Structure formats: structure tokens, C-alpha cells
Amino acid sequence: MKSLVTYLFIFFSVACFAQKDFYGKAVYQSKTSFDLEQWNNREMSEQQKKRIMERMKNMLEKKYVLQFNKSASIYKEEEKLEAPGRGGGFRFGGFSAELQYKSITDKKFLEEREFFGKKFLIEDTSEMPQWEMTGETKQIGNYVCYKATMLKKTDEFDWQNMRRRGRGRGRNRDGGKEEKKKDTANVKKVTEDIEMPKEVLVTAWYTPQIPVSNGPGEYWGLPGLILEINSGKTTILCTQIVLNPKERIEIEAPTKGDKVSRDEYNKIVKKKMEEMRDMWRGRRGRNSRR
């Protein structure tokens, strides 16, 4: 009975807006957890760890704006000025999109990225995401949200889910180190030193009160705007919504950059990473012989 009420509510919410010229803006806060111990090769003091994590904050905590209508959207990181003395933070150029465009009607996706000073326009097409509805609900702000889940294949350079190979160590009850067993069938190799899971569980919370099949980043395909995403180590939460603002929002596909497919772009990045790794090893080798 509960499921029937849920789907009737979704149906009538979408129907109410079907004839409207509907558009709006949603602000999202993204936060990614990071295990410094896994990537560290030396012992550090708590003060050193705190200083490094503070420098990484601009990479791990970001603010995005989604501008949307019924058929398309633009998702872009909100630009912010660094406070005096706070510059020099870590940045992963090339691993994060500067701008993402989604056309729901023709399932076309475009991403603007800059890698080593060169602009790229990555073009993708996608099938309808295979969400599983759970019937669970919760309140986010003024909106009733419904839960949906799916298993998502990771992109080769999804840095949020990367980890060092052979560094999955934990602590046993006696305080000693123990190696965590890995299911290698579910892990893929990115480089000789880095790996990631082939799939991650994604949990979405969407609201039929805003009947657009859209959401932050690459997420879409539900009968309502997605207000929260939990994927691997990352949580994306909507903090503000403005519907039908007085100033009309125009959604246009980006055009800047060399147009490439996802596979082509990943090959470019992988080749450059391997070049940088070989260059770094060569320098270390020369320094050790001095």
C-alpha cells in the first residue's frame, strides 16, 4: 500500500508540472573523505597531518551550481577566492570536470576539462541509469525525498575512489599492522601504483516535488530532482534551490576545447601520468647515485 501511495504521488507531482516552462537552480556541497595514512610513506606528526589536510580542503570540499530545465542542465563548480595566505592547495587538474552539460532528451553528455594547459571537450552518450527504488523516504529541507540505489561502474580516472596498490592496511587489536584481503576480481589497475574498485554503490535521494529527471554531476534518470548523492567516499548534498527565477536561465551546450571521446581522453591522461612517473623515478635514481 505504501509503495502504491508513493508512485501515485510521484505520478501526480510530475503531471502537475508537465505543461509548465519549468527551470531553476540548485546549489550543492560536495565532500570527499580521504585516508592520508594510505598514501603516506613516512611517519608524520599530527600537526603535519592537519596542515596537509587543510591544504587539500579545496580539492575535497567543493560547491557546485546546477542550472536546469525540463530537458537539459549545466553543472559547474562555483568559483571562489582564496583567503590571504591560504594559496598553494592541492589540485587535481584533469581529474575533475570544470563544467558538465547533460541533455536528457537525447542522452548527450559533454564535459569541459583542462589538462596540462590544454582544453578538452569530452563527449559521451549514456543509457538510462538502472536505479532500484526502495520506497524509503526522508526530509531534506522543505522537500520529501525518496531513496534509490544502483551499482555504478567507476571511470578509469575517478580520483575519489583511487587507492594505493598494496597499501590497504589496518590495525589489529594488539596495535600491529595487518593486511586487508582484497577481492582482485572486483578491482581494476589504473597504474602500477594505483587501483580502484570496478563498481561503487550509489545512493540517491530525489524529490518528485521538483519533477525534472536530473541531478548533480553525471546523475539523472529519476522522477524528480536528486538532492543528495552518496557514492563511494563522496557525499553531494543540495543546500539551496531557486525555482523559476525572474531572470530566465538559458542552458547551452559548451563548445570550447578539442572534442574527444571518454576513452580517448583517458588514454591521453594515462600516457601523461606514465611519463611523469618515469620522469620522477629517473630523477630519484640520479639523486641516489650522487
Side-chain angles (χ1 to χ4, degrees), residues 129-132 134 147-154 158 161 199-205 216 218-220 222 226 228-232 234 236:
Q130 299 301 304
W131 294 103
E132 182 179 339
T134 69
K147 182 180 178 181
T149 63
M150 73 170 174
L151 282 175
K152 185 192 77 168
K153 291 182 179 179
T154 55
D158 176 10
N161 290 301
E199 293 180 324
V200 291
L201 176 66
V202 178
T203 299
W205 292 92
E218 70 268 36
Y219 300 107
W220 66 288
L222 288 165
I226 298 171
E228 182 178 334
I229 285 287
N230 295 285
S231 174
T234 299
I236 306 171

Side-chain angles (χ1 to χ4, degrees), residues 190-207:
V190 179
T191 67
E192 289 184 5
D193 306 315
I194 300 172
E195 66 183 15
M196 69 169 64
K198 292 180 180 179
E199 293 180 324
V200 291
L201 176 66
V202 178
T203 299
W205 292 92
Y206 67 95
T207 177

Side-chain angles (χ1 to χ4, degrees), residues 1-13 133-137 146 206 208 223:
M1 183 64 183
K2 184 178 179 181
S3 297
L4 177 61
V5 173
T6 297
Y7 290 116
L8 285 175
F9 176 73
I10 292 172
F11 174 79
F12 286 116
S13 295
M133 309 294 192
T134 69
E136 294 182 54
T137 66
Y146 295 82
Y206 67 95

Side-chain angles (χ1 to χ4, degrees), residues 117-180:
K118 188 173 181 179
K119 287 277 189 182
F120 292 92
L121 185 63
I122 305 170
E123 185 171 6
D124 274 335
T125 56
S126 178
E127 297 179 356
M128 175 67 75
Q130 299 301 304
W131 294 103
E132 182 179 339
M133 309 294 192
T134 69
E136 294 182 54
T137 66
K138 75 173 181 177
Q139 192 85 10
I140 298 180
N142 297 323
Y143 299 93
V144 177
C145 295
Y146 295 82
K147 182 180 178 181
T149 63
M150 73 170 174
L151 282 175
K152 185 192 77 168
K153 291 182 179 179
T154 55
D155 178 75
E156 191 171 5
F157 291 104
D158 176 10
W159 67 266
Q160 288 122 326
N161 290 301
M162 289 181 182
R163 62 195 186 199
R164 286 280 298 276
R165 301 188 73 204
R167 293 299 300 275
R169 295 183 298 188
R171 294 277 180 179
N172 60 29
R173 293 183 179 179
D174 298 325
K177 293 179 179 179
E178 60 180 7
E179 293 293 329
K180 291 182 180 178

